[in-house]
Amino acid sequence: MKKMLSLSMIMIMCLTLVLTACGNSGDGNKGNSNAANGNKETGNTAPADTPDKQNNGQTAEGNKETVTLKWATWMGKEEADRYIKAFEATHPHIKIVKDTAVDWPWNEKLSAVAAAGELPDVMWTFGVPFAAANGWLEDLTPYLENDPEYKEGKTFKNLDATSNYNGKQYALPHSLFMFGINLNLDLFEKENVPVPPVNWTLDDMRDAAIKLTKFNEKQFGMSGIGGLRETLPASIDTSLGWNTWDGEKYNFTNPAYKEAYDYVDELLYSDKVSYDIYKPEEIQAWFGKDQWPWILGKVGMQYDASWSFAGNAKNAKFKWDIRPIPTATGQRVPLVTDYVGMSKSSKHKQEAFEFVKWLTFSKEGWMERMKPEWPLGSIPLINDEEVWNAYLARPEMPPGMKEMVKLIPDGFVDLLKWLPGYQVASDNVYGPTIKELTEKKVKLEDISADLEKRMNDTYKDAAAQLEAAK
């Protein structure tokens, strides 16, 4: 993969934020090959239906013919209607219709409508490489190069680059989430355990987890710990990203992976700080059917993503906050992105791009989503002071997010929806291997080299297919 040459950096001070874009090399994606993450500069020639100049993507409304776009999204009807209504209010010449023909299983349904010549104009993608290799996605690069807002450089370039292959921007992130450690502040106070600072260490987290665990009271120090195996190595060796990906290859033989794996195992099986290791029937007997121990206030620390905030704010009867994953040699935040692209076969590409823009990097679009009556959803994807002020001021927002968002420009992104071959490798290689490891059927030192090779082989095959499809 080709190197990601630029990142946006943000500085946030209280609720008055000054955010600027500057160069960096985040995501640990070093030496990125063109097949997976190329970010080659392209010319400034606009496609035939793209205006030479745009006024924030808008021209005189009175001169525009009304067009209708189909939009494939896995949003529910109520949420999708909210987006459509808000967009159409400022783009009256563009009508958006949710494409109900595309549903789960997502890639299969997209394949079916593509075969019928009925691809939607704008589509969510559950795997950008899959859609790009099938020739469904328009290259957004010429549109972006002619858009004044995008040229301001306010997006997170480490995130944009994940869906850039061979210098072509096939999609853009439309939603962003981050993983961290949720804290039950009431349990910390009850057990007289100091609330950790932002720059806490792995030893700090383990010590707190042990002190917060009271098995006789069915109170546990942590939960969701298993997921740390994929993200903790990046705190131990900051050249690594998600699941040891470094931008060119997987690195399961890197000592950081074993150190992270052993750390998780010790928490689970030696310290026994989590209910995760117990049988489902035991957990149900302790907490009740369909009950979540974290929301019941029986867990001190929960490894989870920012999509949990709305549920925490609504259902938790205790004070809570969030911290980044602890630092070892560095502190990096795991990120999750969802993507949107526009169809190569759309007859209204300029209008489709306007909708893609509104969903991704338009300040107008983000300010609409920051309104109090909108449910808390994605973290903003643009560096704009007004947008960040609105986001961080929401009543559901845990105070720790003011520090967490500073880590976004150097964050690393979940591979599932953007790295060629990862979905196949996760299902057929990584998942079964981890199952054998957790069941203690094999030892990591015995299988790490084979795991690394098979994962890298799967990536190379998928990258070659994407390269051939261009």
Side-chain angles (χ1 to χ4, degrees):
M1 276 189 157
K2 185 177 176 64
K3 286 187 178 180
M4 298 178 183
L5 298 178
S6 65
L7 285 176
S8 301
M9 295 293 291
I10 56 173
M11 297 179 62
I12 302 177
M13 300 177 64
C14 300
L15 294 180
T16 303
L17 312 177
V18 179
L19 299 101
T20 59
C22 62
N24 206 332
S25 61
D27 201 53
N29 289 347
K30 299 183 178 179
N32 295 347
S33 72
N34 286 342
N37 223 13
N39 198 20
K40 226 173 358 181
E41 292 186 6
T42 59
N44 290 323
T45 303
D49 58 352
T50 305
D52 290 335
K53 294 183 181 180
Q54 298 179 8
N55 178 18
N56 291 330
Q58 294 294 300
T59 56
E61 293 291 345
N63 298 328
K64 292 191 174 183
E65 177 185 357
T66 299
V67 301
T68 298
L69 303 178
K70 291 194 298 182
W71 173 34
T73 172
W74 51 70
M75 286 181 174
K77 184 179 185 305
E78 182 179 351
E79 186 178 12
D81 287 347
R82 184 184 295 114
Y83 276 64
I84 292 170
K85 181 179 179 181
F87 175 77
E88 290 181 348
T90 54
H91 300 75
H93 68 293
I94 305 175
K95 302 301 179 186
I96 308 295
V97 176
K98 183 179 178 182
D99 190 346
T100 56
V102 184
D103 205 335
W104 298 101
W106 198 259
N107 288 338
E108 285 85 341
K109 293 296 181 66
L110 269 180
S111 297
V113 297
E118 296 291 339
L119 274 173
D121 300 273
V122 176
M123 66 187 86
W124 270 200
T125 64
F126 193 77
V128 183
F130 178 80
N134 277 287
W136 299 340
L137 296 175
E138 178 77 5
D139 177 16
L140 299 175
T141 307
Y143 297 85
L144 297 172
E145 289 176 344
N146 284 276
D147 187 274
E149 282 191 72
Y150 191 79
K151 288 196 292 186
E152 289 178 7
K154 289 187 174 183
T155 63
F156 294 107
K157 300 307 179 188
N158 58 324
L159 306 185
D160 292 354
T162 56
S163 52
N164 188 302
Y165 310 94
N166 309 306
K168 296 182 178 181
Q169 192 73 47
Y170 283 106
L172 288 171
H174 66 77
S175 295
L176 172 65
F177 309 92
M178 64 169 61
F179 272 90
I181 310 295
N182 288 339
L183 309 178
N184 181 328
L185 299 180
D186 287 355
L187 280 190
F188 274 83
E189 182 177 2
K190 170 178 173 279
E191 302 300 341
N192 197 28
V193 177
V195 175
V198 171
N199 61 340
W200 59 329
T201 67
L202 293 177
D203 287 341
D204 293 335
M205 186 168 76
R206 183 176 183 182
D207 182 61
I210 292 171
K211 291 178 179 177
L212 291 165
T213 299
K214 297 291 178 65
F215 182 79
N216 290 339
E217 300 176 23
K218 301 301 179 285
Q219 174 181 300
F220 293 91
M222 289 196 74
S223 61
I225 300 175
L228 285 167
R229 294 188 181 101
E230 298 182 21
T231 57
L232 190 56
S235 292
I236 299 169
D237 182 343
T238 56
S239 71
L240 303 179
W242 200 286
N243 229 357
T244 76
W245 179 256
D246 68 1
E248 292 182 328
K249 63 186 184 306
Y250 301 98
N251 296 270
F252 293 104
T253 56
N254 186 305
Y257 187 74
K258 178 169 173 51
E259 184 176 340
Y261 196 92
D262 288 347
Y263 178 84
V264 171
D265 260 22
E266 289 168 2
L267 284 174
L268 287 170
Y269 302 108
S270 298
D271 303 328
K272 297 185 178 180
V273 300
S274 177
Y275 64 85
D276 299 337
I277 61 174
Y278 296 96
K279 296 178 180 179
E281 53 268 26
E282 292 179 291
I283 297 171
Q284 180 174 314
W286 296 338
F287 304 114
K289 186 177 181 180
D290 300 326
Q291 295 298 310
W292 190 16
W294 161 256
I295 289 296
L296 294 176
K298 303 298 290 184
V299 175
M301 296 180 287
Q302 169 80 15
Y303 176 64
D304 208 342
S306 54
W307 51 61
S308 66
F309 289 177
N312 289 349
K314 180 179 179 180
N315 300 311
K317 306 303 181 185
F318 51 85
K319 292 184 292 184
W320 61 280
D321 203 354
I322 190 169
R323 292 291 182 272
I325 292 176
T327 178
T329 60
Q331 194 167 38
R332 301 183 64 207
V333 63
L335 304 170
V336 177
T337 44
D338 287 323
Y339 297 89
V340 61
M342 70 179 189
S343 171
K344 188 179 290 187
S345 60
S346 174
K347 296 179 181 179
H348 307 290
K349 290 179 181 175
Q350 184 55 42
E351 290 81 4
F353 174 73
E354 287 301 322
F355 188 42
V356 169
K357 170 181 174 177
W358 195 90
L359 293 167
T360 59
F361 67 90
S362 162
K363 180 177 179 179
E364 173 192 279
W366 282 104
M367 287 305 297
E368 189 70 29
R369 276 177 269 184
M370 293 303 104
K371 289 181 177 179
E373 61 268 23
W374 277 53
L376 180 65
S378 168
I379 296 168
L381 283 158
I382 59 171
N383 291 335
D384 183 273
E385 180 179 350
E386 189 176 3
V387 171
W388 281 109
N389 281 335
Y391 176 74
L392 292 170
R394 295 182 70 104
E396 318 98 307
M397 192 62 54
M401 278 296 283
K402 295 176 186 177
E403 297 298 324
M404 292 277 288
V405 297
K406 295 179 182 179
L407 301 174
I408 294 174
D410 193 40
F412 56 98
V413 184
D414 179 9
L415 309 173
L416 184 66
K417 301 186 184 93
W418 66 269
L419 186 68
Y422 187 70
Q423 291 184 11
V424 173
S426 181
D427 289 343
N428 299 333
V429 181
Y430 182 76
T433 302
I434 291 299
K435 185 175 185 294
E436 288 189 328
L437 283 169
T438 55
E439 293 175 351
K440 308 302 181 185
K441 294 180 179 178
V442 295
K443 294 181 179 179
L444 180 61
E445 54 267 32
D446 294 334
I447 56 88
S448 57
D450 180 65
L451 172 63
E452 182 174 286
K453 181 182 184 303
R454 289 191 294 149
M455 291 288 286
N456 283 322
D457 286 347
T458 305
Y459 161 70
K460 290 174 186 177
D461 290 345
Q465 291 175 18
L466 181 59
E467 173 71 15
K470 70 178 183 179

PDB file of all heavy atoms in Angstrom, residues 74 101-112 126 130:
ATOM      1  N   TRP A  74     -28.558   1.321   4.893  1.00  0.00           N
ATOM      2  CA  TRP A  74     -29.126   0.399   5.885  1.00  0.00           C
ATOM      3  C   TRP A  74     -29.756   1.140   7.058  1.00  0.00           C
ATOM      4  O   TRP A  74     -30.118   0.542   8.062  1.00  0.00           O
ATOM      5  CB  TRP A  74     -28.096  -0.611   6.363  1.00  0.00           C
ATOM      6  CG  TRP A  74     -26.777  -0.066   6.826  1.00  0.00           C
ATOM      7  CD1 TRP A  74     -26.530   0.650   7.950  1.00  0.00           C
ATOM      8  CD2 TRP A  74     -25.512  -0.236   6.171  1.00  0.00           C
ATOM      9  NE1 TRP A  74     -25.194   0.951   8.044  1.00  0.00           N
ATOM     10  CE2 TRP A  74     -24.545   0.405   6.962  1.00  0.00           C
ATOM     11  CE3 TRP A  74     -25.106  -0.883   5.006  1.00  0.00           C
ATOM     12  CZ2 TRP A  74     -23.191   0.442   6.617  1.00  0.00           C
ATOM     13  CZ3 TRP A  74     -23.771  -0.847   4.668  1.00  0.00           C
ATOM     14  CH2 TRP A  74     -22.829  -0.204   5.463  1.00  0.00           C
ATOM     15  N   ALA A 101     -34.826  -2.042  -2.527  1.00  0.00           N
ATOM     16  CA  ALA A 101     -34.390  -3.305  -3.124  1.00  0.00           C
ATOM     17  C   ALA A 101     -33.051  -3.765  -2.557  1.00  0.00           C
ATOM     18  O   ALA A 101     -32.687  -4.936  -2.698  1.00  0.00           O
ATOM     19  CB  ALA A 101     -34.280  -3.161  -4.642  1.00  0.00           C
ATOM     20  N   VAL A 102     -32.313  -2.845  -1.940  1.00  0.00           N
ATOM     21  CA  VAL A 102     -31.006  -3.185  -1.373  1.00  0.00           C
ATOM     22  C   VAL A 102     -31.145  -3.281   0.135  1.00  0.00           C
ATOM     23  O   VAL A 102     -31.459  -2.302   0.815  1.00  0.00           O
ATOM     24  CB  VAL A 102     -29.937  -2.146  -1.750  1.00  0.00           C
ATOM     25  CG1 VAL A 102     -28.572  -2.591  -1.223  1.00  0.00           C
ATOM     26  CG2 VAL A 102     -29.885  -1.944  -3.256  1.00  0.00           C
ATOM     27  N   ASP A 103     -30.937  -4.473   0.653  1.00  0.00           N
ATOM     28  CA  ASP A 103     -31.054  -4.744   2.082  1.00  0.00           C
ATOM     29  C   ASP A 103     -30.045  -5.844   2.400  1.00  0.00           C
ATOM     30  O   ASP A 103     -29.179  -6.156   1.601  1.00  0.00           O
ATOM     31  CB  ASP A 103     -32.494  -5.159   2.410  1.00  0.00           C
ATOM     32  CG  ASP A 103     -32.864  -4.874   3.858  1.00  0.00           C
ATOM     33  OD1 ASP A 103     -31.952  -4.819   4.710  1.00  0.00           O
ATOM     34  OD2 ASP A 103     -34.068  -4.734   4.140  1.00  0.00           O
ATOM     35  N   TRP A 104     -30.157  -6.458   3.562  1.00  0.00           N
ATOM     36  CA  TRP A 104     -29.219  -7.513   3.923  1.00  0.00           C
ATOM     37  C   TRP A 104     -29.634  -8.853   3.336  1.00  0.00           C
ATOM     38  O   TRP A 104     -30.839  -9.122   3.225  1.00  0.00           O
ATOM     39  CB  TRP A 104     -29.114  -7.600   5.448  1.00  0.00           C
ATOM     40  CG  TRP A 104     -28.583  -6.337   6.024  1.00  0.00           C
ATOM     41  CD1 TRP A 104     -29.290  -5.339   6.616  1.00  0.00           C
ATOM     42  CD2 TRP A 104     -27.217  -5.908   6.027  1.00  0.00           C
ATOM     43  NE1 TRP A 104     -28.470  -4.312   6.996  1.00  0.00           N
ATOM     44  CE2 TRP A 104     -27.190  -4.632   6.646  1.00  0.00           C
ATOM     45  CE3 TRP A 104     -26.022  -6.468   5.563  1.00  0.00           C
ATOM     46  CZ2 TRP A 104     -25.997  -3.915   6.815  1.00  0.00           C
ATOM     47  CZ3 TRP A 104     -24.851  -5.758   5.736  1.00  0.00           C
ATOM     48  CH2 TRP A 104     -24.848  -4.500   6.356  1.00  0.00           C
ATOM     49  N   PRO A 105     -28.683  -9.694   2.955  1.00  0.00           N
ATOM     50  CA  PRO A 105     -27.230  -9.490   2.980  1.00  0.00           C
ATOM     51  C   PRO A 105     -26.798  -8.463   1.929  1.00  0.00           C
ATOM     52  O   PRO A 105     -27.138  -8.606   0.747  1.00  0.00           O
ATOM     53  CB  PRO A 105     -26.660 -10.877   2.698  1.00  0.00           C
ATOM     54  CG  PRO A 105     -27.746 -11.597   1.974  1.00  0.00           C
ATOM     55  CD  PRO A 105     -29.038 -11.044   2.498  1.00  0.00           C
ATOM     56  N   TRP A 106     -26.075  -7.451   2.368  1.00  0.00           N
ATOM     57  CA  TRP A 106     -25.869  -6.230   1.591  1.00  0.00           C
ATOM     58  C   TRP A 106     -25.187  -6.473   0.251  1.00  0.00           C
ATOM     59  O   TRP A 106     -25.681  -6.041  -0.808  1.00  0.00           O
ATOM     60  CB  TRP A 106     -25.054  -5.232   2.419  1.00  0.00           C
ATOM     61  CG  TRP A 106     -25.174  -3.832   1.899  1.00  0.00           C
ATOM     62  CD1 TRP A 106     -24.281  -3.152   1.128  1.00  0.00           C
ATOM     63  CD2 TRP A 106     -26.286  -2.955   2.084  1.00  0.00           C
ATOM     64  NE1 TRP A 106     -24.754  -1.900   0.838  1.00  0.00           N
ATOM     65  CE2 TRP A 106     -25.985  -1.760   1.413  1.00  0.00           C
ATOM     66  CE3 TRP A 106     -27.505  -3.074   2.751  1.00  0.00           C
ATOM     67  CZ2 TRP A 106     -26.857  -0.670   1.396  1.00  0.00           C
ATOM     68  CZ3 TRP A 106     -28.375  -1.989   2.732  1.00  0.00           C
ATOM     69  CH2 TRP A 106     -28.043  -0.809   2.069  1.00  0.00           C
ATOM     70  N   ASN A 107     -24.048  -7.144   0.261  1.00  0.00           N
ATOM     71  CA  ASN A 107     -23.312  -7.334  -0.990  1.00  0.00           C
ATOM     72  C   ASN A 107     -24.082  -8.185  -1.991  1.00  0.00           C
ATOM     73  O   ASN A 107     -24.024  -7.947  -3.200  1.00  0.00           O
ATOM     74  CB  ASN A 107     -21.942  -7.946  -0.702  1.00  0.00           C
ATOM     75  CG  ASN A 107     -20.994  -6.952  -0.055  1.00  0.00           C
ATOM     76  OD1 ASN A 107     -21.164  -5.740  -0.166  1.00  0.00           O
ATOM     77  ND2 ASN A 107     -19.996  -7.463   0.649  1.00  0.00           N
ATOM     78  N   GLU A 108     -24.821  -9.166  -1.490  1.00  0.00           N
ATOM     79  CA  GLU A 108     -25.620 -10.001  -2.382  1.00  0.00           C
ATOM     80  C   GLU A 108     -26.735  -9.188  -3.043  1.00  0.00           C
ATOM     81  O   GLU A 108     -27.005  -9.326  -4.230  1.00  0.00           O
ATOM     82  CB  GLU A 108     -26.211 -11.185  -1.613  1.00  0.00           C
ATOM     83  CG  GLU A 108     -25.204 -12.266  -1.292  1.00  0.00           C
ATOM     84  CD  GLU A 108     -24.425 -11.992  -0.005  1.00  0.00           C
ATOM     85  OE1 GLU A 108     -24.377 -10.835   0.451  1.00  0.00           O
ATOM     86  OE2 GLU A 108     -23.848 -12.949   0.534  1.00  0.00           O
ATOM     87  N   LYS A 109     -27.385  -8.326  -2.254  1.00  0.00           N
ATOM     88  CA  LYS A 109     -28.469  -7.510  -2.807  1.00  0.00           C
ATOM     89  C   LYS A 109     -27.935  -6.460  -3.779  1.00  0.00           C
ATOM     90  O   LYS A 109     -28.566  -6.182  -4.809  1.00  0.00           O
ATOM     91  CB  LYS A 109     -29.254  -6.841  -1.668  1.00  0.00           C
ATOM     92  CG  LYS A 109     -30.029  -7.827  -0.796  1.00  0.00           C
ATOM     93  CD  LYS A 109     -31.112  -8.532  -1.591  1.00  0.00           C
ATOM     94  CE  LYS A 109     -31.918  -9.513  -0.727  1.00  0.00           C
ATOM     95  NZ  LYS A 109     -32.707  -8.855   0.321  1.00  0.00           N
ATOM     96  N   LEU A 110     -26.771  -5.885  -3.475  1.00  0.00           N
ATOM     97  CA  LEU A 110     -26.167  -4.956  -4.427  1.00  0.00           C
ATOM     98  C   LEU A 110     -25.826  -5.669  -5.728  1.00  0.00           C
ATOM     99  O   LEU A 110     -26.010  -5.127  -6.827  1.00  0.00           O
ATOM    100  CB  LEU A 110     -24.911  -4.319  -3.838  1.00  0.00           C
ATOM    101  CG  LEU A 110     -25.063  -3.009  -3.069  1.00  0.00           C
ATOM    102  CD1 LEU A 110     -23.711  -2.526  -2.564  1.00  0.00           C
ATOM    103  CD2 LEU A 110     -25.716  -1.918  -3.924  1.00  0.00           C
ATOM    104  N   SER A 111     -25.316  -6.886  -5.608  1.00  0.00           N
ATOM    105  CA  SER A 111     -24.990  -7.666  -6.805  1.00  0.00           C
ATOM    106  C   SER A 111     -26.236  -7.917  -7.651  1.00  0.00           C
ATOM    107  O   SER A 111     -26.186  -7.858  -8.890  1.00  0.00           O
ATOM    108  CB  SER A 111     -24.359  -8.997  -6.407  1.00  0.00           C
ATOM    109  OG  SER A 111     -23.131  -8.809  -5.727  1.00  0.00           O
ATOM    110  N   ALA A 112     -27.339  -8.180  -6.984  1.00  0.00           N
ATOM    111  CA  ALA A 112     -28.579  -8.477  -7.711  1.00  0.00           C
ATOM    112  C   ALA A 112     -29.078  -7.253  -8.477  1.00  0.00           C
ATOM    113  O   ALA A 112     -29.449  -7.362  -9.662  1.00  0.00           O
ATOM    114  CB  ALA A 112     -29.646  -8.963  -6.733  1.00  0.00           C
ATOM    115  N   PHE A 126     -20.783  -2.054   2.069  1.00  0.00           N
ATOM    116  CA  PHE A 126     -20.272  -2.943   3.109  1.00  0.00           C
ATOM    117  C   PHE A 126     -19.065  -3.670   2.529  1.00  0.00           C
ATOM    118  O   PHE A 126     -19.083  -4.868   2.267  1.00  0.00           O
ATOM    119  CB  PHE A 126     -21.331  -3.935   3.565  1.00  0.00           C
ATOM    120  CG  PHE A 126     -20.948  -4.655   4.834  1.00  0.00           C
ATOM    121  CD1 PHE A 126     -21.044  -4.024   6.055  1.00  0.00           C
ATOM    122  CD2 PHE A 126     -20.461  -5.951   4.798  1.00  0.00           C
ATOM    123  CE1 PHE A 126     -20.675  -4.663   7.224  1.00  0.00           C
ATOM    124  CE2 PHE A 126     -20.088  -6.605   5.965  1.00  0.00           C
ATOM    125  CZ  PHE A 126     -20.195  -5.971   7.175  1.00  0.00           C
ATOM    126  N   PHE A 130     -14.975  -4.569  -2.629  1.00  0.00           N
ATOM    127  CA  PHE A 130     -15.932  -5.412  -3.341  1.00  0.00           C
ATOM    128  C   PHE A 130     -16.684  -4.597  -4.385  1.00  0.00           C
ATOM    129  O   PHE A 130     -16.801  -5.007  -5.552  1.00  0.00           O
ATOM    130  CB  PHE A 130     -16.903  -6.037  -2.342  1.00  0.00           C
ATOM    131  CG  PHE A 130     -17.965  -6.902  -2.967  1.00  0.00           C
ATOM    132  CD1 PHE A 130     -17.682  -8.201  -3.350  1.00  0.00           C
ATOM    133  CD2 PHE A 130     -19.249  -6.415  -3.177  1.00  0.00           C
ATOM    134  CE1 PHE A 130     -18.661  -9.005  -3.929  1.00  0.00           C
ATOM    135  CE2 PHE A 130     -20.231  -7.207  -3.756  1.00  0.00           C
ATOM    136  CZ  PHE A 130     -19.939  -8.504  -4.136  1.00  0.00           C
TER     137      PHE A 130
END
